Amino acid sequence: MKIFLLSLFSVGVISAVGCSDDGRGALPSVRIVPTLSRVTGLYFDKGDRIGLTITRPSGNYVANHPMDYDGTVFLASELAWYDASEGTATLTAYYPYSESGTPTRFTVALDQRDGCGPSDLLGAVQRDVVPGSAPVGMTFHHLMSQLSIVVENHAESPVAGVTLSGAVAEADVDLSVPKAEANPDATGVEIETFEVDAGLRYRAVLVPQQTSLTVEVILEDGTTCSKSI
């Protein structure tokens, strides 16, 4: 039996643009029109939710306000801009939304067999925004890293799964930059990867870090083969 593993880290960058007047009155609603990609697809899906914080000189106007994607824009029907005379704003947004608050610490899923989306933390910040009907341009960034694994299996038994061990799963997050770094107090864990192409390509979203990983391929007959990277 011979198994060959080819591994590659890649970090993606995505972008988004802003809002428009909804015609309800002098103060337009806040809307975000995304033109972005993420690990699990080319676009946001209908029903996806981001968290938005708007900060003005006097403090937060809204904090961790949920905005839902309707297939075209992110919006929250009750969220309108304040009067422009109150000064400029800083907009901070992230995905996926968390009811517990804007994340300062984020943990990737240990079981990613059903998909990497929940582990794909995105962050965006835009400063000196003047409230109004003009769209707000924002650039979203993938704050995690993606590991892709290609398996060349010369054994008779099919591949049952691929796991990773040694990576830290917890990140300290600063969305004002935005950036994410591995929590220095966390220890390495085992992560089950997502099967992209059956028996051939696998993927996991990891916290950015420098570390030694062990990639283990498990065959259906119980045989395993591992490689350190």
Side-chain angles (χ1 to χ4, degrees):
M1 181 194 73
K2 295 174 62 180
I3 294 180
F4 174 76
L5 301 171
L6 176 62
S7 305
L8 174 66
F9 274 106
S10 63
V11 179
V13 178
I14 55 182
S15 63
V17 295
C19 59
S20 62
D21 196 328
D22 67 354
R24 293 185 300 166
L27 298 177
S29 63
V30 179
R31 298 183 185 183
I32 297 174
V33 182
T35 54
L36 54 84
S37 63
R38 67 171 197 251
V39 169
T40 54
L42 295 177
Y43 304 102
F44 277 113
D45 298 320
K46 188 174 182 179
D48 280 349
R49 175 171 285 191
I50 61 174
L52 177 69
T53 296
I54 300 176
T55 305
R56 52 187 177 181
S58 59
N60 283 344
Y61 178 59
V62 294
N64 196 42
H65 197 90
M67 302 188 76
D68 297 309
Y69 189 60
D70 67 358
T72 303
V73 298
F74 280 101
L75 54 86
S77 59
E78 73 283 7
L79 180 58
W81 276 111
Y82 58 85
D83 191 278
S85 64
E86 298 180 33
T88 60
T90 296
L91 272 62
T92 305
Y94 72 94
Y95 169 90
Y97 175 75
S98 172
E99 292 184 354
S100 61
T102 301
T104 57
R105 179 162 291 177
F106 183 80
T107 303
V108 299
L110 301 186
D111 186 348
Q112 299 184 22
R113 288 176 296 177
D114 290 335
C116 303
S119 298
D120 184 21
L121 180 64
L122 310 179
V125 62
Q126 182 64 45
R127 298 175 176 84
D128 300 321
V129 176
V130 178
S133 58
V136 179
M138 298 187 77
T139 301
F140 279 74
H141 300 274
H142 287 286
L143 303 185
M144 300 292 107
S145 293
Q146 176 182 287
L147 177 65
S148 296
I149 303 165
V150 177
V151 180
E152 186 176 330
N153 182 14
H154 298 289
E156 294 183 0
S157 180
V159 176
V162 176
T163 64
L164 302 170
S165 59
V168 169
E170 295 179 351
D172 294 323
V173 179
D174 183 357
L175 288 175
S176 68
V177 177
K179 68 176 182 179
E181 298 178 339
N183 178 2
D185 297 324
T187 57
V189 296
E190 182 177 274
I191 295 175
E192 298 182 87
T193 65
F194 173 68
E195 184 180 68
V196 181
D197 293 323
L200 176 62
R201 291 200 304 129
Y202 295 81
R203 175 186 298 154
V205 171
L206 306 175
V207 174
Q209 60 197 280
Q210 291 185 343
T211 189
S212 296
L213 290 174
T214 299
V215 183
E216 185 174 67
V217 178
I218 304 97
L219 303 183
E220 290 185 359
D221 65 3
T223 303
T224 63
C225 181
S226 63
K227 179 179 178 66
S228 296
I229 59 173

